Amino acid sequence: GAGVSQSPSNKVTEKGKDVELRCDPISGHTALYWYRQSLGQGLEFLIYFQGNSAPDKSGLPSDRFSAERTGGSVSTLTIQRTQQEDSAVYLCASSPQTGANEQFFGPGTRLTVL
Amino acid sequence: AQTVTQSQPEMSVQEAETVTLSCTYDTSESDYYLFWYKQPPSRQMILVIRQEAYKQQNATENRFSVNFQKAAKSFSLKISDSQLGDAAMYFCAYRSAIGTASKLTFGTGTRLQVTL
């Protein structure tokens, strides 16, 4: 079946503008994760959704970042008043359940803040 | 908090040769999972191999195998018979097996070059 999809693939915005990044997980996957990959760095956890439980927001770097997951499927990561340091690749992943199951990653959205 | 360290920013291997990528981690937990992910230029993260900490036997997947040393908190990846398609960034990752804390903690990655 289809893998995790993300849109847009690339986004260029001006400092101070808001952006929305979208993630469509694999159908039936109950867990959804957002990670950020800055240039030359590993992936940094941002937020995690599992079913109907309250999301784990412990990785969000500031209150300018928020995410929601509607209907237990599609997720949107919103960054308000973007800053240049927000420039990175934002990766979404989903998995069937918690535990040892593999996280399946999307191709990411490259965000550039001018 | 758990940390993952990859001390080799770049490695190079000749085609058909064997290369080992290093990874160490720090945790106070006894039950966890370890992963190696590959990231080619397409940015798509691909799972290479997975190891459950409670298993003593090292995981293998075709040309890929790990050397898991739990006491030393070491988890190296060996790639045998290297191929041009193996060129990519490789990330080591840790995941707790406790509760619902299932986020992945990644190292900073090793860029692998494969030469003819």
Side-chain angles (χ1 to χ4, degrees):
Chain A
V4 177
S5 60
Q6 293 186 245
S7 60
S9 178
N10 292 281
K11 175 71 176 179
V12 180
T13 190
E14 293 180 348
K15 178 182 173 181
K17 295 286 180 69
D18 298 350
V19 295
E20 286 189 351
L21 311 180
R22 177 187 169 104
C23 172
D24 281 271
I26 293 172
S27 178
H29 281 192
T30 57
L32 186 148
Y33 313 79
W34 283 97
Y35 295 89
R36 177 170 71 175
Q37 185 176 23
S38 301
L39 184 63
Q41 299 296 312
L43 279 72
E44 169 193 18
F45 167 75
L46 297 177
I47 188 169
Y48 151 62
F49 297 89
Q50 169 59 26
N52 295 320
S53 302
D56 176 356
K57 303 179 182 180
S58 60
L60 294 179
S62 78
D63 58 7
R64 296 186 296 104
F65 288 73
S66 63
E68 62 177 19
R69 188 178 185 191
T70 55
S73 181
V74 172
S75 177
T76 302
L77 177 69
T78 301
I79 308 173
Q80 295 179 310
R81 306 180 302 283
T82 52
Q83 303 295 313
Q84 288 184 331
E85 60 263 29
D86 299 334
S87 296
V89 174
Y90 290 82
L91 289 155
C92 175
S94 70
S95 70
Q97 59 187 52
T98 56
N101 287 301
E102 174 185 355
Q103 292 186 14
F104 295 81
F105 283 81
T109 293
R110 181 180 297 280
L111 175 65
T112 303
V113 183
L114 301 176
Chain B
Q2 295 80 28
T3 58
V4 178
T5 302
Q6 293 180 251
S7 59
Q8 304 156 317
E10 291 190 7
M11 292 285 285
S12 183
V13 62
Q14 284 192 321
E15 197 176 18
E17 296 297 310
T18 295
V19 65
T20 299
L21 308 184
S22 301
C23 172
T24 58
Y25 57 94
D26 188 27
T27 184
S28 59
E29 298 173 340
S30 59
D31 197 14
Y32 47 86
Y33 309 100
L34 296 166
F35 305 84
W36 278 98
Y37 276 88
K38 170 185 177 182
Q39 186 181 43
S42 67
R43 298 198 307 243
Q44 189 84 44
M45 296 284 284
I46 302 164
L47 179 66
V48 174
I49 199 164
R50 164 178 45 217
Q51 174 82 42
E52 288 88 351
Y54 65 85
K55 290 186 177 179
Q56 293 186 339
Q57 186 174 5
N58 289 325
T60 63
E61 288 286 343
N62 301 313
R63 298 183 294 108
F64 299 87
S65 61
V66 299
N67 183 3
F68 173 48
Q69 301 289 328
K70 191 173 184 179
K73 296 180 182 174
S74 172
F75 182 61
S76 61
L77 173 70
K78 186 171 81 171
I79 306 174
S80 304
D81 186 25
S82 297
Q83 300 175 0
L84 294 177
D86 295 334
M89 284 290 291
Y90 286 82
F91 291 96
C92 178
Y94 171 102
R95 177 192 246 179
S96 174
I98 297 173
T100 60
S102 60
K103 67 181 182 183
L104 289 167
T105 299
F106 287 87
T108 52
T110 296
R111 182 175 301 280
L112 178 66
Q113 293 183 324
V114 181
T115 59
L116 293 172

